[in-house]
Amino acid sequence: MSSERVPSTLIFVEAGDALLMYASPDNAGQCPHLRAFEEKASLVAYGSDGAPYRVQHSAGRLSFETTDASAQPEALKEVLLRYFEACEDPADAQEPLDELVARAWTIECDYRRRCGSEDEIARRKMPWWGHIILIGVPLLALYWALRHR
């Protein structure tokens, strides 16, 4: 697993038991998955240094804004330790926060590289042969109907 460069705008969003990572607060606000999570659980967001974000919901959109509250690196560290435990790759609690952040972002990037973008995932829901059947069967039925009139 190669180490990925951590974006300075990286945001971690804790949604119930899930931890989601986005390259920026704007990316997080555009994610349709978060809207579904928000209905079930409260969202808690942190920057890569533990700076808390205020989660706003207005006009059907989520937005993440920085707050004046002091950074909470220990809170983010606890969230990341639970994340690594859930990934069955426990981390050492003594490991520095920046290393935990980099490791989590690398895992996320590797996952996205394997699975592709949201659009690619949506396109792959039906296998290629499903498209052939979906198009081919009606064409064959039309051909048969026209030939046997």
Side-chain angles (χ1 to χ4, degrees):
M1 179 166 35
S2 65
S3 182
E4 294 290 330
R5 186 174 166 274
V6 177
S8 62
T9 55
L10 179 64
I11 185 170
F12 293 92
V13 182
E14 187 178 18
D17 292 337
L19 178 64
L20 306 167
M21 293 166 234
Y22 300 92
S24 74
D26 289 338
N27 289 359
Q30 295 172 6
C31 179
H33 303 301
L34 281 181
R35 285 187 220 111
F37 273 115
E38 189 204 21
E39 294 171 3
K40 299 175 191 168
S42 64
L43 301 177
V44 179
Y46 301 99
S48 59
D49 61 351
Y53 277 79
R54 180 180 304 112
V55 182
Q56 303 262 348
H57 188 270
S58 62
R61 271 191 61 110
L62 286 173
S63 63
F64 296 84
E65 300 171 2
T66 56
T67 66
D68 293 335
S70 59
Q72 302 171 5
E74 289 305 312
L76 176 58
K77 194 172 190 176
E78 286 178 32
V79 170
L80 289 171
L81 291 172
R82 285 195 310 268
Y83 168 78
F84 291 123
E85 190 71 35
C87 291
E88 297 180 358
D89 186 15
D92 182 2
Q94 303 307 314
E95 202 170 339
L97 179 62
D98 59 335
E99 289 180 22
L100 294 173
V101 166
R103 186 169 149 202
W105 183 243
T106 299
I107 291 170
E108 180 71 12
C109 290
D110 287 346
Y111 173 78
R112 290 181 184 189
R113 218 180 339 273
R114 278 193 322 271
C115 295
S117 70
E118 296 287 331
D119 293 335
E120 291 169 345
I121 292 169
R123 275 197 306 270
R124 289 191 301 229
K125 287 190 177 178
M126 181 186 296
W128 63 269
W129 50 266
H131 293 281
I132 292 173
I133 291 172
L134 191 64
I135 294 168
V137 169
L139 286 176
L140 285 173
L142 179 63
Y143 173 77
W144 184 81
L146 292 175
R147 290 278 293 167
H148 292 82
R149 281 210 230 163

